[in-house]
Amino acid sequence: METIKAVKGTRDLLPPETERWNLVESVTREVFRTYNFQEIRTPIFEKTELFARGVGADTDIVAKEMYTWEDQSRGGDNVAAGRQSLTLRPENTAGVVRAYIEHRLWERGLNKFYYIGPQFRRERPQKGRYRQFFQIGAEVIGPPPSGSESPARDAELLELLASLLDRLGIQQWRLELNSIGCPADRARYDQVLRQALQPVAANLCADCQRRAQTNPLRVFDCKVPADQAIIETLPRISQFLDEPCRKHFDEVREILASVGVPYTLNDRLVRGLDYYTRTAFEFTHGALGAQNAILGGGRYDGLSEALGGPQAPGIGFAIGEDRLVMSLGQSAATDGAKLDVYIAPLGTGMNKEAARLARELRRHNLVVEVGEESFRLKKSLETASKQGARYALIAGENELSTGVFALKKLASGEQRSVSRDRLLAEIQG
RNA sequence: GUGGGAGUAGCUCAACCGGCAGAGCACCGGACUGUGGCUCCGGACGUUGCGGGUUCGAUUCCCGUCUCCCACCCCA
């Protein structure tokens, strides 16, 4: 029979790799906690319309990378009977903002959420890119007087990220920062940019010629060397920021400077959608191949309204957890659970005694593995040392009758006879 | 979706010009009946990704297909 394999672009995370994921997640949760962020969990599937509106119907994500299906509804499922289109979430911001609106969370003032979970995009897999991938993200959102609109929030989020990467031991991260202004700025800029592109577009690569028509901002993403000289001459969004946007950006930068978070201005860093505003950023890492962006984020002051909610400025980011774990390399030496004791039952009926011993020891938080009474002692000891156990506890018929157990320290080979009631103290000491 | 590379034992990889599919590691057993690491000996290991074609004969050549890797598009 043909065996079933994981579907394209998905993968199993096996030990010991899962230890590294757990390390990343526990450090992350701890960092979020100290910045007073709280976890939010939204469904992994939503109505397709949410992403069409929340991510943008014209984006590649929505146009061709979503796992979407028609779900049969019998009525009462929050829709009339009939079919509704559902989609596995390709990102988590839209879901969070949907929940924000649905539960009227603006009544709580400023919300600082984080999430950790799987996302789904139907892309061609490659290094650091999977069809089920994991993101760690955060969203700061609230009604205008709550402070969510403040440049202090942008700076706090960026400083949090710098701390997180530092604490994970990621050495060569680089923060690239830009402001893309407000929609009005971008509308003016878009016009100017299109005009500037018109005379030179013919000299650019085919992709750029297409972008010049469809989404001029994307020209700045071009990596073709020959195009760079021309691109360098194009006007930049930074020249079109209105006074409030300029002040906002200056303030973000001043706070970053005062807390000592290094950054690089990159006025080619852009975002395509209308509700993206002001601060845009990416953290990159050298050792990730073409997928060098380890996380990205920015301000989305217009998103809530785009989804039919009240005015609610927000800023957020999403970390590609797969890439984050990858860039950890061997720097994070994670030792798996070290065995404290391997119990070697020896002889018929000794499984019962071994189970009693294991239960007692585990009750005191010792990490215990138990062999099998049919194993030869040689095999049990071999397994014990292979698994890195500190002690082997031999539970044979002799021990059971005398009440004195053989406790062997595997590193030194030293073996002692220990009475049953002193076992715990001996192992813990 | 597009382009390139690769799929052989659990893992890492060999196998000349088309001629009996191999090694190291890991696994299991023995030397050694209740004492691990070292050593020695032995064992199991495979529809060579899958399907078709050429051939007396295909891991090898051809076609298709699937998966992975790298890159493009795009993005985290």
Side-chain angles (χ1 to χ4, degrees):
Chain A
M1 203 200 316
E2 194 163 326
T3 59
I4 299 170
K5 294 187 292 185
V7 305
K8 183 192 184 93
T10 70
R11 58 182 180 151
D12 302 303
L13 298 175
L14 307 174
E17 194 185 357
T18 41
E19 292 297 321
R20 309 211 332 222
W21 283 71
N22 283 330
L23 176 74
V24 164
E25 289 174 16
S26 62
V27 170
T28 300
R29 287 178 193 278
E30 185 57 25
V31 170
F32 276 131
R33 199 177 67 80
T34 62
Y35 285 79
N36 195 32
F37 280 68
Q38 292 178 299
E39 183 174 13
I40 185 170
R41 300 194 189 195
T42 66
I44 64 165
F45 58 96
E46 300 265 5
K47 293 184 183 178
T48 303
E49 188 191 358
L50 173 66
F51 303 116
R53 285 205 269 161
V55 179
D58 302 332
T59 60
D60 273 25
I61 295 175
V62 171
K64 57 183 198 192
E65 295 174 0
M66 296 205 305
Y67 282 100
T68 296
W69 72 97
E70 290 297 311
D71 193 59
Q72 183 71 47
S73 167
R74 303 202 171 133
D77 295 349
N78 204 12
V79 292
R83 294 186 165 276
Q84 63 175 335
S85 180
L86 301 181
T87 294
L88 292 178
R89 64 187 187 194
E91 55 88 45
N92 218 149
T93 301
V96 170
V97 175
R98 192 223 79 232
Y100 172 84
I101 296 167
E102 184 167 341
H103 302 288
R104 303 177 62 86
L105 296 179
W106 56 83
E107 292 179 355
R108 300 185 184 186
L110 183 67
N111 294 278
K112 297 165 78 171
F113 295 122
Y114 79 90
Y115 58 84
I116 299 175
Q119 320 290 337
F120 306 84
R121 285 182 205 169
R122 204 177 176 294
E123 298 176 281
R124 186 81 166 249
Q126 71 187 75
K127 189 178 186 65
R129 162 180 290 179
Y130 304 95
R131 288 182 168 185
Q132 175 176 332
F133 59 104
F134 293 81
Q135 283 189 335
I136 297 170
E139 315 291 350
V140 179
I141 185 169
S146 68
S148 65
E149 71 287 354
S150 164
R153 302 272 76 107
D154 306 43
E156 180 184 44
L157 210 60
L158 292 165
E159 189 268 320
L160 179 159
L161 285 164
S163 298
L164 176 59
L165 296 180
D166 286 343
R167 282 185 60 170
L168 287 171
I170 290 174
Q171 299 293 330
Q172 312 122 1
W173 57 262
R174 181 180 156 102
L175 165 58
E176 305 203 8
L177 192 63
N178 195 22
S179 174
I180 57 173
C182 39
D185 300 337
R186 254 192 341 280
R188 285 185 290 131
Y189 172 59
D190 189 70
Q191 264 193 329
V192 172
L193 184 58
R194 282 176 193 273
Q195 279 173 15
L197 277 166
Q198 223 150 37
V200 296
N203 301 323
L204 294 171
C205 67
D207 283 332
C208 283
Q209 294 187 31
R210 181 175 47 74
R211 292 171 179 137
Q213 297 297 319
T214 59
N215 197 345
L217 286 176
R218 286 274 156 222
V219 169
F220 288 110
D221 289 338
C222 180
K223 289 163 190 159
V224 177
D227 290 3
Q228 300 309 310
I230 296 173
I231 293 171
E232 283 302 319
T233 67
L234 295 171
R236 301 304 165 89
I237 183 73
S238 54
Q239 299 150 6
F240 292 80
L241 300 185
D242 64 20
E243 193 52 28
C245 287
R246 189 182 307 279
K247 272 191 67 176
H248 184 98
F249 194 40
D250 288 344
E251 177 84 12
V252 172
R253 293 167 58 186
E254 282 166 23
I255 297 175
L256 285 180
S258 81
V259 296
V261 172
Y263 61 90
T264 309
L265 284 182
N266 178 357
D267 57 10
R268 294 173 55 161
L269 182 64
V270 293
R271 291 284 187 274
L273 305 174
D274 284 349
Y275 49 73
Y276 280 118
T277 53
R278 298 187 169 173
T279 311
F281 59 88
E282 276 182 11
F283 282 69
T284 58
H285 188 272
L288 288 175
Q291 310 302 324
N292 67 343
I294 186 172
L295 69 91
R299 200 159 253 292
Y300 46 81
D301 291 345
L303 179 54
S304 174
E305 286 153 292
L307 290 175
Q311 194 190 355
I315 181 166
F317 64 79
I319 303 173
E321 190 177 1
D322 304 76
R323 293 181 190 175
L324 185 65
V325 171
M326 205 180 300
S327 57
L328 239 52
Q330 284 93 350
S331 65
T334 57
D335 27 38
K338 272 268 168 58
L339 266 189
D340 291 307
V341 184
Y342 186 97
I343 300 177
L346 202 60
T348 313
M350 294 310 296
N351 278 341
K352 290 194 284 290
E353 175 65 7
R356 280 195 294 271
L357 287 165
R359 182 168 163 86
E360 283 174 36
L361 297 175
R362 285 168 173 157
R363 207 176 265 169
H364 290 86
N365 283 330
L366 292 172
V367 183
V368 178
E369 184 58 272
V370 187
E372 216 286 328
E373 62 185 35
S374 65
F375 289 175
R376 292 187 4 258
L377 182 58
K378 175 187 167 66
K379 173 175 174 159
S380 287
L381 290 175
E382 197 175 299
T383 307
S385 59
K386 203 176 296 177
Q387 297 197 8
R390 285 169 50 229
Y391 287 98
L393 174 58
I394 300 169
E397 287 154 340
N398 299 342
E399 284 77 5
L400 184 58
S401 58
T402 62
V404 178
F405 289 78
L407 186 64
K408 181 161 192 171
K409 193 164 199 166
L410 288 164
S412 62
E414 172 201 8
Q415 181 167 322
R416 309 173 64 168
S417 298
V418 180
S419 66
R420 188 181 170 120
D421 55 357
R422 290 201 51 249
L423 276 175
L424 183 66
E426 193 70 22
I427 292 167
Q428 285 178 330

